[in-house]
């Protein structure tokens, strides 16, 4: 499909956080999601922090997945960030170097969210042995991110 060639890259690789912690990572992700998807920054941050307060979904012991909901989108989107230095995540302080944020419409169902989470889980598992190579490669990272919602 031709239009995929022109889809925006919702990825940022090799992020260096001045404060390498979960709160800084979440604030940065909220700001980037708001900017990239033209959403209200405060609403995105509130939704993201609410998602993070629940038990985090950690994939392959290095990828954190969480989501935000918005009334400004009608279909699912994802944004993927990678960190130069892993961020210690959650109560178990798992070193996370990938953060995937799902952007879901307000009227999403639990089934929609589960389906997106399952697709992300499958794609991360399929690429587990390549995550080190993909992490800093903008083109490959973009392909991986796009595969979550294809």
């Amino acid at each position: 499909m031709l239009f995929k060639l022109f889809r925006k890259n919702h990825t940022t690789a090799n992020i260096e956080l001045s404060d390498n912690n979960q709160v800084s990572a979440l604030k940065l992700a909220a700001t980037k999601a708001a900017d990239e998807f033209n959403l209200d920054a405060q609403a995105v941050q509130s939704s993201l922090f609410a998602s993070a307060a629940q038990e985090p979904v950690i994939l392959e012991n290095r990828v954190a997945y969480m989501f935000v909901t918005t009334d400004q989108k009608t279909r699912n989107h994802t944004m993927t960030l990678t960190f130069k230095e892993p961020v210690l995540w959650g109560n178990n302080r798992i070193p996370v170097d990938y953060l995937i944020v799902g952007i879901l419409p307000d009227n999403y169902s639990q089934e929609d969210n589960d389906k997106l989470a399952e697709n992300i889980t499958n794609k991360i598992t399929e690429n587990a042995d390549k995550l080190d190579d993909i992490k800093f490669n903008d083109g490959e990272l973009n392909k991986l991110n796009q595969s979550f919602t294809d």
Side-chain angles (χ1 to χ4, degrees):
M1 289 186 211
L2 189 59
F3 72 89
K4 285 189 182 178
L5 296 175
F6 301 107
R7 275 207 310 209
K8 190 167 165 66
N9 297 354
H10 296 297
T11 57
T12 306
N14 205 23
I15 296 168
E16 203 163 345
L17 295 168
S18 53
D19 290 323
N20 198 44
N21 61 48
Q22 187 175 338
V23 171
S24 293
L26 288 169
K27 284 182 179 175
L28 177 74
T31 300
K32 285 191 162 296
D35 288 348
E36 291 206 16
F37 295 100
N38 298 317
L39 302 172
D40 178 75
Q42 191 56 51
V44 171
Q45 185 167 316
S46 297
S47 188
L48 194 60
F49 273 78
S51 178
Q54 301 167 15
E55 191 62 31
V57 175
I58 305 290
L59 309 168
E60 297 296 324
N61 287 316
R62 67 185 295 179
V63 180
Y65 166 67
M66 56 202 45
F67 65 91
V68 300
T69 58
T70 176
D71 62 0
Q72 296 176 293
K73 294 293 168 194
T74 57
R75 67 177 190 84
N76 294 341
H77 299 272
T78 56
M79 177 182 78
T80 301
L81 310 176
T82 66
F83 302 107
K84 186 171 185 160
E85 298 295 324
V87 175
L88 298 179
W89 210 269
N91 294 333
N92 295 333
R93 303 184 56 73
I94 296 167
V96 162
D97 57 352
Y98 277 75
L99 175 58
I100 300 168
V101 178
I103 314 292
L104 306 173
D106 270 346
N107 62 350
Y108 81 100
S109 68
Q110 188 59 47
E111 186 179 319
D112 293 336
N113 186 34
D114 291 346
K115 191 173 171 186
L116 179 61
E118 182 181 336
N119 199 33
I120 290 169
T121 300
N122 291 342
K123 295 297 180 183
I124 292 296
T125 302
E126 283 171 25
N127 290 284
D129 60 336
K130 296 184 233 152
L131 291 176
D132 285 338
D133 296 329
I134 294 170
K135 181 177 169 180
F136 301 126
N137 181 320
D138 288 324
E140 291 302 311
L141 187 61
N142 188 47
K143 279 187 213 164
L144 178 65
N145 186 65
Q146 286 184 0
S147 75
F148 300 147
T149 54
D150 281 348

